[in-house]
C-alpha cells in the first residue's frame, strides 16, 4: 500500500460493506458516531481553546477555561502584531513566506529532476545511488546540523534564508525524491517509448511527457514542503539569530521568553495567526493531503 | 494510441529497444547524470562531506572561534562516564519514545477501526482527526500545551469538575514528560489515515468466513484484522519510532529551552542543541550526533528484525 500509484483523490472507491456478522447495525452505527464525535471534541479542544483564548482579555485567561471568552477582546491581535519592540509580526511573516517559497520551488525542481533519472533513465550505478538515496531517508538531520552550521557560518549565510533554502535546490529532501520516483513509475512506459520514437531525447521526454503527468505528485510535494517549512522550528532556530531575520515560529518563541503573564493573550493571538496559512492550505488541499498520507506515508 | 501508428514495426519488432544501440544508451547515461547532478552535489556537499567533518569534529574541542583541537576520544569518554545529563537525556528520550509511540498507534488504530465500520461521514472525520497531526509540530501548539497543562490551565479546570486536585503538570518533574507524550499521542491522525487505508484492503470475505466459523468481534480482530494489518502496523511503527526519537520542538518550547524541570524533558536532541548551539561545544555535540546516528541505526535494525517475527505478508499465490 505504500506504493504511490495515485495521489489524486481516491474517494470514489466503492464503499466496502462493514465486516459481516453484525446484528443491529443501525444501533451500533449510532453508538460509534457518538464515540467518534466525543473523541473529535477532545481532539479539537486545544485548537478551539487556542482560538477562543486569543479573544479573551488578559485577566480572563487564567480564570476562564471555557472556549468562548466572556468579553470579546479583539485588541489582542493588534497588540500581538506590534508586541515585540523594534519589529512587527509582519517582518516574521514576510521572512517565513520567503523561506517557504524558496523551499517549495527548490524541492519541486530538484526532486523532480532526480526522480526522473531514477525512475526513467538507465545509467551506470543507478541502483547504487538509489540505495544511498533511500539510506539518507533514515538519516536524522541532527547528525548534520553542526557541520552544516560550520559550513554556512563560513559562507556568512547565518541570519539569511540561504541555509534554509539552498540545500532544497540540491534535492536533499529524499522523501520527495522517493515520492516522485514511485509516482513516475506508475506512468505508462509506452508514452516514453512513443516520444522516443518520435525523436524526443531524455530532456524533452522529461519536460513534455513525464513532468506534466507527474503534476499530482508535484503538488503534493509543494503542499507538504510549505507546511513543513512553515511549522519548522529546529533549523530556523539554529540559523536565524537576528531579530530582523526571524521567522514566525522563532518570533513566537521570543514572545514566550520575553513576556510576563500580561502578554499571554497577544501571544495566543499571534499563535492563531501563525497557523492560518497552514489551515488555508489544509482547506484547499484537504483531499490531497489526506490521500497523500495513505498512499505515501507522508507525516504531518 | 500514438505509438502503434508511428512505430516502425518491421525493423524493430517486439525488441525494438535493441535497435537503439550504443549511442542512444550513452546519451541516456549522460542525461541520467545531468538530471542527477543537483542531488549528487547535495549528497556530496550537504550530506557526505559534512558527515565526515562531523566525525572529525567529534574527536576535537571546537567552539567556532578557535580552530578545532584534536582531543581523541575525550568527548566520547566524557559522554559515557562523566556526564550524568547525557544519560539523563538518553533515559528521557527512551521513556518518551517507548510510551508515546504505542499510545499514539493504539489511539490511531482504535479510531481507524471505528471509522472503518461506519462509512457515513468518514471523509469528514478523517480530515478533522488529521488537523492535530498537521499543526502539532508547531510552536503555536507547544505554547497552547504549556498553558493547558500549567498550574492554572484548562486541564486542571476540567479535572476540578471531577474533583481531582490539579497541579502545574509542566512544572512537575514527574509529569512534565507525560504532557509531551500526550501531545505526541494527540497527533494520531497521520498513522490513523494509514491504518484506514490498510483496513480497506482487507477482503470482506475474510470477516465473513471468520464469522461463519463462529468467531466473535474480538477473535475476528485478533485472528483476521491484526495479522492482515500487520504490514501496515509495521510501517507505522517504523515511521513513528524514527519520529519519536527525533522530537524536539515541543520539548524545547514547553521547557523554555532548558529541558526542565529537573532535566525531565531533556530529550536527546534538546541536549544536543544546548551543547552545540547553547554553549558552542561543537565537538561534543558532534560526538553526540554520531552516537545518536549509531543508536538510531541499531534501533531501526532491531525494529526491522523484529518485524520478521510478527509481520504477516499475504502470499500472492492466489492472485
Amino acid at each position: 500500500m505504500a506504493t504511490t500509484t495515485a495521489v489524486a483523490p481516491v474517494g470514489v472507491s466503492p464503499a466496502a460493506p462493514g465486516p459481516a456478522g453484525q446484528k443491529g447495525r443501525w444501533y451500533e452505527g449510532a453508538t460509534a458516531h457518538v464515540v467518534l464525535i466525543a473523541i473529535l471534541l477532545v481532539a479539537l479542544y486545544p485548537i478551539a481553546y487556542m482560538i477562543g483564548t486569543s479573544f479573551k482579555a488578559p485577566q480572563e485567561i487564567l480564570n476562564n477555561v471555557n472556549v468562548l471568552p466572556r468579553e470579546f477582546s479583539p485588541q489582542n491581535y493588534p497588540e500581538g502584531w506590534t508586541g515585540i519592540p523594534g519589529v512587527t509580526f509582519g517582518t516574521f511573516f514576510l521572512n517565513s513566506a520567503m523561506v517557504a517559497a524558496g523551499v517549495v520551488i527548490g524541492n519541486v525542481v530538484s526532486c523532480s529532476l532526480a526522480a526522473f533519472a531514477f525512475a526513467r533513465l538507465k545509467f551506470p550505478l543507478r541502483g547504487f545511488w538509489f540505495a544511498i538515496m533511500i539510506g539518507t531517508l533514515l538519516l536524522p538531520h541532527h547528525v548534520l546540523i553542526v557541520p552544516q552550521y560550520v559550513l554556512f557560518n563560513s559562507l556568512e549565510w547565518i541570519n539569511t534564508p540561504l541555509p534554509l533554502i539552498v540545500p532544497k535546490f540540491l534535492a536533499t529532501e529524499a522523501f520527495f525524491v522517493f515520492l516522485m520516483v514511485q509516482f513516475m513509475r506508475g506512468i505508462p512506459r509506452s508514452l516514453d517509448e512513443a516520444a522516443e520514437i518520435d525523436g524526443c531525447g531524455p530532456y524533452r521526454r522529461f519536460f513534455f511527457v513525464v513532468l506534466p503527468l507527474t503534476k499530482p505528485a508535484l503538488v503534493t510535494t509543494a503542499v507538504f514542503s510549505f507546511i513543513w517549512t512553515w511549522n519548522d522550528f529546529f533549523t530556523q532556530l539554529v540559523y536565524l539569530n537576528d531579530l530582523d531575520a526571524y521567522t514566525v515560529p522563532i518570533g513566537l518563541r521570543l514572545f514566550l521568553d520575553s513576556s510576563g503573564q500580561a502578554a499571554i493573550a497577544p501571544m495566543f493571538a499571534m499563535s492563531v495567526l501563525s497557523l492560518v496559512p497552514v489551515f488555508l492550505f489544509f482547506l484547499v488541499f484537504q483531499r490531497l493531503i489526506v490521500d497523500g498520507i495513505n498512499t505515501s506515508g507522508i507525516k504531518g | 494510441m500514438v505509438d502503434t501508428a508511428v512505430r516502425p514495426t518491421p525493423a524493430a519488432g517486439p525488441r525494438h529497444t535493441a535497435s537503439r544501440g550504443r549511442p542512444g544508451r550513452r546519451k541516456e547515461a549522460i542525461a541520467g547524470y545531468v538530471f542527477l547532478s543537483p542531488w549528487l552535489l547535495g549528497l556530496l556537499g550537504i550530506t557526505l562531506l559534512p558527515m565526515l567533518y562531523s566525525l572529525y569534529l567529534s574527536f576535537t574541542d571546537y567552539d567556532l572561534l578557535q580552530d578545532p583541537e584534536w582531543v581523541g576520544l575525550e568527548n566520547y569518554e566524557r559522554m559515557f562516564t562523566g556526564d550524568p545529563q547525557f544519560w539523563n537525556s538518553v533515559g528521557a528520550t527512551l521513556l518518551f519514545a517507548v510510551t508515546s509511540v504505542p499510545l499514539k498507534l493504539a489511539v490511531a488504530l482504535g479510531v481507524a477501526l471505528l471509522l472503518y465500520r461506519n462509512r457515513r461521514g468518514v471523509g469528514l472525520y478523517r480530515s478533522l482527526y488529521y488537523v492535530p497531526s498537521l499543526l502539532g509540530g508547531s510552536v503555536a501548539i507547544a505554547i497552547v500545551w504549556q498553558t493547558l497543562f500549567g498550574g492554572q490551565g484548562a486541564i486542571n479546570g476540567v479535572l476540578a469538575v471531577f474533583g481531582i486536585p490539579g497541579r502545574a503538570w509542566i512544572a512537575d518533574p514527574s509529569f512534565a514528560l507525560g504532557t509531551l507524550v500526550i501531545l505526541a499521542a494527540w497527533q494520531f491522525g497521520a498513522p490513523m489515515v494509514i491504518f484506514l487505508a490498510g483496513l480497506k484492503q482487507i477482503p470482506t470475505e475474510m470477516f465473513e468466513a471468520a464469522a461463519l466459523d463462529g468467531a466473535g468481534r474480538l477473535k475476528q480482530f485478533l485472528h483476521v484484522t491484526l495479522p492482515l494489518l500487520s504490514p501496515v502496523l509495521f510501517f507505522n511503527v517504523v515511521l513513528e519510532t524514527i519520529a519519536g526519537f527525533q522530537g524536539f520542538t515541543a520539548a524545547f518550547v514547553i521547557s523554555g529551552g532548558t529541558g526542565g524541570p529537573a532535566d525531565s524533558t531533556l530529550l536527546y536532541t534538546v541536549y544536543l542543541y544546548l551543547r552545540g548551539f547553547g554553549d558552542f561545544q561543537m565537538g561534543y555535540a558532534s560526538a553526540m550526533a554520531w552516537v545518536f546516528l549509531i543508536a538510531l541505526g541499531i534501533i531501526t535494525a532491531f525494529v526491522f528484525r523484529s518485524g520478521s517475527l510478527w509481520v504477516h505478508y499475504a502470499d500472492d499465490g492466489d492472485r
Side-chain angles (χ1 to χ4, degrees), chain B residues 1-316:
Chain B
M1 33 178 167
V2 189
D3 56 351
T4 43
V6 181
R7 188 185 295 163
T9 19
R15 287 198 154 262
H16 61 279
T17 36
S19 70
R20 222 190 321 153
R22 292 215 159 228
R25 190 160 287 192
R26 186 147 167 208
K27 206 173 134 194
E28 192 170 302
I30 292 168
Y33 276 91
V34 169
F35 277 103
L36 215 55
S37 54
W39 178 79
L40 280 170
L41 193 66
L43 179 73
L44 197 70
I46 307 283
T47 307
L48 288 184
L49 288 180
M51 272 180 86
L52 287 179
Y53 190 56
S54 85
L55 186 61
Y56 161 71
L57 282 182
S58 76
F59 298 110
T60 67
D61 203 357
Y62 183 41
D63 62 358
L64 277 184
L65 300 172
Q66 266 121 27
D67 285 340
E69 185 195 333
W70 185 267
V71 294
L73 288 171
E74 205 176 273
N75 288 325
Y76 292 93
E77 212 181 300
R78 182 176 137 214
M79 197 185 306
F80 288 118
T81 59
D83 186 356
Q85 262 193 311
F86 168 79
W87 287 109
N88 204 325
S89 73
V90 170
T93 308
L94 283 174
L95 189 61
F96 175 73
V98 163
T99 51
S100 68
V101 174
L103 185 63
K104 183 180 192 172
L105 292 183
V107 177
L109 180 57
V111 175
L113 285 170
L114 279 174
L115 279 180
Y116 170 67
R117 283 162 190 273
N118 290 272
R119 308 293 300 180
R120 186 163 298 160
V122 66
L124 187 63
Y125 282 122
R126 264 190 346 168
S127 293
L128 289 174
Y129 279 127
Y130 186 68
V131 170
S133 288
L134 197 69
L135 309 177
S138 64
V139 169
I141 292 298
I143 286 173
V144 171
W145 228 252
Q146 202 188 33
T147 314
L148 280 177
F149 284 89
Q152 290 169 297
I155 297 297
N156 283 341
V158 174
L159 290 177
V161 175
F162 300 99
I164 301 167
R167 63 177 79 226
W169 304 95
I170 53 158
D172 187 328
S174 352
F175 292 104
L177 193 66
T179 65
L180 296 181
V181 170
I182 295 172
L183 174 53
W186 178 63
Q187 301 164 48
F188 63 86
M192 177 206 69
V193 170
I194 297 173
F195 276 135
L196 260 180
L199 283 169
K200 260 194 253 166
Q201 302 211 324
I202 300 178
T204 326
E205 305 90 72
M206 294 282 196
F207 296 105
E208 282 163 5
L212 279 177
D213 287 346
R217 274 284 168 78
L218 187 67
K219 274 201 166 159
Q220 281 188 32
F221 175 73
L222 289 177
H223 299 295
V224 180
T225 315
L226 220 47
L228 290 177
L229 201 61
S230 59
V232 177
L233 181 62
F234 177 71
F235 182 71
N236 271 333
V237 168
V238 172
L239 281 185
E240 295 299 337
T241 305
I242 292 170
F245 277 97
Q246 298 187 46
F248 175 84
T249 305
F252 189 82
V253 173
I254 291 175
S255 70
T258 62
D263 288 350
S264 60
T265 62
L266 189 70
L267 297 185
Y268 198 91
T269 52
V270 174
Y271 188 49
L272 193 155
Y273 173 86
L274 290 178
R275 279 286 177 236
F277 300 94
D279 28 65
F280 290 101
Q281 298 181 25
M282 293 295 190
Y284 195 72
S286 297
M288 279 190 70
W290 272 88
V291 170
F292 191 50
L293 178 67
I294 291 164
L296 264 189
I298 293 170
I299 290 163
T300 313
F302 180 79
V303 172
F304 269 92
R305 189 149 271 242
S306 84
S308 64
L309 299 175
W310 58 271
V311 177
H312 168 96
Y313 291 103
D315 329 310
D316 21 359

Side-chain angles (χ1 to χ4, degrees), chain A residues 4-76:
Chain A
T4 313
T5 41
V7 187
V10 291
V12 282
S13 64
Q22 292 181 24
K23 287 155 209 152
R25 288 195 57 192
W26 174 86
Y27 169 79
E28 283 189 359
T31 320
H33 275 290
V34 171
V35 176
L36 282 168
I37 290 169
I39 299 172
L40 195 62
L41 289 178
V42 174
L44 294 185
Y45 173 77
I47 293 162
Y49 174 80
M50 173 176 63
I51 297 169
T53 301
S54 72
F55 291 107
K56 288 175 189 168
Q59 65 277 12
E60 199 190 319
I61 290 179
L62 294 177
N63 55 38
N64 178 10
V65 298
N66 291 329
V67 165
L68 292 177
R70 261 184 244 119
E71 48 171 314
F72 182 71
S73 315
Q75 74 273 17
N76 292 330

Side-chain angles (χ1 to χ4, degrees), chain A residues 59-114:
Chain A
Q59 65 277 12
E60 199 190 319
I61 290 179
L62 294 177
N63 55 38
N64 178 10
V65 298
N66 291 329
V67 165
L68 292 177
R70 261 184 244 119
E71 48 171 314
F72 182 71
S73 315
Q75 74 273 17
N76 292 330
Y77 283 84
E79 267 175 37
W81 190 262
T82 54
I84 290 160
V87 279
T88 66
F89 254 81
T91 311
F92 303 153
F93 270 90
L94 210 64
N95 289 337
S96 268
M98 202 155 69
V99 171
V103 169
V104 166
I105 295 168
N107 274 341
V108 168
V109 170
S110 69
C111 295
S112 62
L113 289 173

Side-chain angles (χ1 to χ4, degrees), chain A residues 95 172 224:
Chain A
N95 289 337
T172 48
F224 277 96

